[in-house]
Every structure is written in structure tokens, then in C-alpha cells.
Amino acid sequence: MDRRPTIADVAKRAGVSRSSVSFALNDRPGLAEETKRRILAAAQELGWRPSRPAQALSRGVAGALGLVLARDTAAIGADPFFPAFIAGIESVLARRGDALVLHVTEPADEEATYRRLAADRRVDGVLLTDLRVDDPRPALTRELGLPAVVVGDPGGAGGLCAVGLDDRPAFAAAVRQLAALGHRRIAHVAGPQEFRHARRRRESWELAMREAGLPEGPVLPGGFTAAGGAHATRELLSLAPDRRPTAVIYANDLSATAGLAVAQRLGLTVPGDLSVVGYDDTPLAEYTHPPLASARADALGWGAAAVRALDEVIAKGRADDVALPPAELVRRGSMGPAPGAGAGDTEADAPAPSTTTVRSETPC
């Protein structure tokens, strides 16, 4: 055929009515088994496939989920977290032929975007990422009757189902190991503090420093970007020797990778002069020089889990919060003894493997 086969073509090939074809393809009762087999054989011979939009329309659903990102497009393109997260979403949707409707918008247009999605019934539900302090979106989706799941901690979910993980074990492990390696000045390059997850990572670092009995080192904004991480690192390394950090824990891998490069361009060795730790454990982390220590958060699995939770909300009206396995430190070559630390004062005398995953004992 020179065109895509239709349900009418299947009916003609099988010698039945179109309603009989619909009954057979939707596995509804009322047809003789022989008739059903003939219809299915005709559909296979013609290469007919059901139309997802038509199926969705017949069921009164859109067959799509929504994801609205109120971020600069360049920032999204450079951040390795989102491609992995979206791949996790698609790993569930692609198997059933559903779609992801992705909108990248300005913060000022965010509310209008959700209202259009709800009014046009383009999606069956939405995933809320990058939750902000006092974020209006949980209340907005309730007002619109739009099923939603928060990707993050339940504290700001406004009663919606939240799919999140605990950052604290990874930061505790990083600070604990750096302290054991002789580090006393451990700085933090933070993400934008309007985001709840960036604020939570900073608080996790602060708590870990207190638990290790260390004074809080300097904190500078990095903005989750390479440029921000590079700028913050230059400022940290320009401090007086008695204030300059010997280790830096970054809020994500993108800023950490930039910081590692800046340190090396300034003539410092990593980890000889400066230890560097990132967050997200993106695929690039193990290929930097030296390989970047990072906290593994499994963005791919996070995306898949968020879709399954949203499916439950759409089907049942609610779902319980989902606690994913906590982030865990992956120790690599960018972590080493503090400058001048004696081998007897650190764990450096026991050679560490190039990659070691430190698992938390915190239950999921």
C-alpha cells in the first residue's frame, strides 16, 4: 500500500465490520475466536498498528506526561543530570508508546504553561522538578485538577506524592573521609539557594562538618554551572593561606569539573594540593583527570520511579511518597591526603582503589 493502512483496510481484508475489528483489537468479548484470529491475521499482514492518539481519545486520556523546566536552555543543555533523568522517564513511557511533553520556559511564563497543559488536556499528569522554597506549583496543580508528583523531598511537596532521596549520607561520608585524610578546611560551592535541593545539599554539608567537629569552611555560590564553579574556585584559591581550603565539595559535577580544571590551570595538583568532590556521579566523572569523586544519585532510576509514582496518582488519585536509596559517595582519584598531612595522621598509608563506593547504612 502507498499509504498507512487503516482500520477500514483491516475490516475489508478480514471480511468483517469496523466495529468487529475494534472489538478484536481491544480484546473485548462478543466475537467468535475464529473471527478474532482472522482479524488479527489481517492486521498483521497489512502492518496495521493502532493510533496512540486515537486510543488515548477513546479512553479519555492524553497518553502523555508533562515536564516543565523553568531554566535557561543553555543551562539545561550543559547539565548532565537532565538527559539521564529524561532517559529514565522515557525508559517507562517508550515501552507503552506514551509521550513526554517537555516545555522549557521562562519563570514568568511557568504558571501559564501549566494552565495551558491542563486546559488543552495535553497531558495526564506532570512531574514537578527543581522545587523551590515556597514553590507555588503544588497548590497550582491541585487548583487545576492536574495529577502531579514532586521530584524531591516531601517537605515542600504540599501534600503531593514526592519521589526523593537522602543527600546526607553522601556528604557525611565525604567529610568524614576528607577529615580522616587530614583535611580541616573543607569548602562548599553551593547551588542556587532558591532550589530546595541546593539548599538541602548545603545543609547536609554543614551538618557533616559539625558532626566531624570541623569549623565550617567558606561557602560560595556556584549556580550548578561550569562558569559558576570556575569563578567560585578562583575566589577560594585566592584566599590567604590560613583560610584557603584544602578540599572543596561542590553541589554538582558540572561545577566540580570546572573547579578541578581551574585548580590545575593555576598550577595546583589534584589531589596533592586540593581534593575535589562533586555530586550526581555523571558519566563524565570517571573520565576527568584525575577521576572525580562524586555522590551517586542515579538520575536514570529517579526518572523511572517518578513516572511509576505518577501513574499511580493518575489511576488512584494518590500515591505514597517514594524514598529512593540514599546518595552514596564514590571515591575516586580527586580525593587525597591534605597537603602536609603525615601518613600516620591519615588513612593515606592504606592505598585506596581508584574507585570505591561508600554505601550508607541509612535505610531507604
Side-chain angles (χ1 to χ4, degrees):
M1 300 180 66
D2 294 331
R3 57 179 174 79
R4 180 177 176 177
T6 66
I7 196 170
D9 298 319
V10 176
K12 183 177 181 181
R13 174 68 66 92
V16 297
S17 66
R18 283 185 289 183
S19 60
S20 295
V21 174
S22 178
F23 270 57
L25 296 174
N26 289 289
D27 200 23
R28 294 168 60 185
L31 286 179
E33 283 301 315
E34 173 57 32
T35 303
K36 184 176 179 180
R37 280 195 294 271
R38 193 166 72 250
I39 292 170
L40 295 178
Q44 186 173 10
E45 290 168 8
L46 291 171
W48 181 86
R49 294 290 182 273
S51 163
R52 288 296 298 176
Q55 281 189 321
L57 185 62
S58 69
R59 300 196 312 266
V61 297
L65 301 181
L67 178 61
V68 179
L69 301 179
R71 281 202 191 189
D72 180 78
T73 52
I76 294 172
D79 189 341
F81 174 84
F82 279 107
F85 180 74
I86 291 172
I89 295 172
E90 290 289 355
S91 72
V92 178
L93 296 185
R95 286 199 297 268
R96 65 195 194 206
D98 284 351
L100 175 66
V101 177
L102 175 64
H103 279 278
V104 180
T105 184
E106 296 293 330
D109 298 328
E110 188 177 43
E111 179 180 338
T113 301
Y114 283 103
R115 290 190 180 278
R116 282 196 302 271
L117 288 174
D120 297 343
R121 298 184 180 179
R122 294 183 58 194
V123 298
D124 300 312
V126 291
L127 299 169
L128 305 182
T129 63
D130 284 341
L131 207 66
R132 299 183 292 273
V133 178
D134 299 323
D135 200 307
R137 290 176 295 167
L140 175 63
T141 56
R142 286 184 180 280
E143 174 198 331
L144 297 173
L146 187 60
V149 161
V150 166
V151 179
D153 70 285
L160 298 179
C161 168
V163 180
L165 55 79
D166 191 353
D167 299 312
R168 291 171 295 180
F171 282 91
V175 171
R176 188 168 57 244
Q177 289 202 26
L178 288 168
L181 289 165
H183 294 274
R184 295 295 176 266
R185 296 191 300 275
I186 304 172
H188 179 54
V189 174
Q193 293 300 287
E194 67 266 26
F195 292 143
R196 290 184 65 90
H197 60 293
R199 185 171 293 196
R200 191 176 63 248
R201 290 175 193 178
R202 174 174 175 166
E203 291 169 352
S204 297
W205 166 79
E206 291 171 348
L207 177 62
M209 294 291 283
R210 287 196 297 271
E211 290 178 342
L214 297 175
E216 289 181 13
V219 181
L220 287 178
F224 283 152
T225 66
H231 179 75
T233 305
R234 290 190 195 96
E235 285 199 34
L236 289 170
L237 297 180
S238 68
L239 294 173
D242 61 337
R243 295 185 58 218
R244 185 183 307 144
T246 60
V248 184
I249 297 177
Y250 294 77
N252 74 346
D253 281 356
L254 189 60
S255 57
T257 301
L260 187 153
V262 165
Q264 292 173 330
R265 286 174 188 164
L266 292 174
L268 278 67
T269 62
V270 177
D273 298 312
L274 182 73
S275 286
V276 173
V277 181
Y279 190 99
D280 284 332
D281 192 34
T282 51
L284 181 63
E286 64 178 305
Y287 296 105
T288 60
H289 180 71
L292 178 67
S294 187
R296 180 172 294 159
D298 187 16
L300 192 83
W302 207 339
V307 171
R308 289 192 289 267
L310 184 52
D311 284 344
E312 188 173 350
V313 172
I314 293 167
K316 301 179 181 178
R318 66 171 302 279
D320 293 332
D321 291 341
V322 179
L324 300 173
E328 55 188 22
L329 176 67
V330 181
R331 181 176 167 183
R332 294 194 179 95
S334 66
M335 288 179 70
D345 300 327
T346 73
E347 295 176 349
D349 51 329
S354 59
T355 300
T356 303
T357 299
V358 180
R359 297 186 180 276
S360 164
E361 296 178 356
T362 304
C364 342

